[in-house]
Amino acid sequence: MTLTTLVLGGRAGAREAAIVAALTPGLATVVILEGLSDGNSALAELAPDPAGPSVLRIAPGCLCCSGKLVLRVNLNRILRRPPARLFISLADSRHVQELRLWLSEPPYLDLLSLGDDLNVAAAQD
């Protein structure tokens, strides 16, 4: 099962920095980022490493609503060779409960282990 963390709150740069801080070296990791970078991408600044995280960016739009199909296609591709760790960074967390519910249903129920959310706003306080 792939340990999955939803990353919420703050600006894109802050969410990406929180993901970098949570990375485990040598652990196969995929990062899905919703929306555009704000120009402060900590993930882009990582030293090139074939064992480093794979980063996918999905166009802005709620991953629970308008972006659900795009997320589903990307998840299905990723899970053909499941990574140990998956981060999904949300530009807008209004529908995070619906997204968690969707990720808890088949087929993802048997493929993903949903961990605690990484709340950037709470970490900055």
Side-chain angles (χ1 to χ4, degrees):
M1 283 201 148
T2 297
L3 176 58
T4 303
T5 302
L6 301 180
V7 185
L8 317 168
R11 297 181 53 110
R15 289 190 304 276
E16 290 183 36
I19 291 168
V20 168
L23 290 174
T24 303
L27 195 63
T29 302
V30 174
V31 179
I32 298 175
L33 304 169
E34 176 195 0
L36 302 173
S37 171
D38 64 5
N40 299 315
S41 176
L43 288 165
E45 295 173 10
L46 289 176
D49 179 2
S54 297
V55 179
L56 303 168
R57 192 171 293 279
I58 295 178
C62 179
L63 293 180
C64 175
C65 303
S66 61
K68 194 175 205 174
L69 178 61
V70 176
L71 178 60
R72 181 182 301 272
V73 168
N74 280 287
L75 273 178
N76 291 346
R77 285 182 184 152
I78 290 165
L79 294 172
R80 287 182 194 151
R81 288 192 185 121
R85 194 79 196 267
L86 172 65
F87 291 93
I88 302 174
S89 175
L90 304 173
D92 184 347
S93 60
R94 285 182 286 179
H95 296 156
V96 68
Q97 292 304 77
E98 291 88 339
L99 182 60
R100 286 184 75 72
L101 179 62
W102 179 71
L103 293 172
S104 299
E105 296 174 345
Y108 305 113
L109 173 68
D110 297 325
L111 301 170
L112 302 176
S113 171
L114 290 174
D116 292 336
D117 295 340
L118 178 54
N119 193 325
V120 174
Q124 290 176 341
D125 291 340

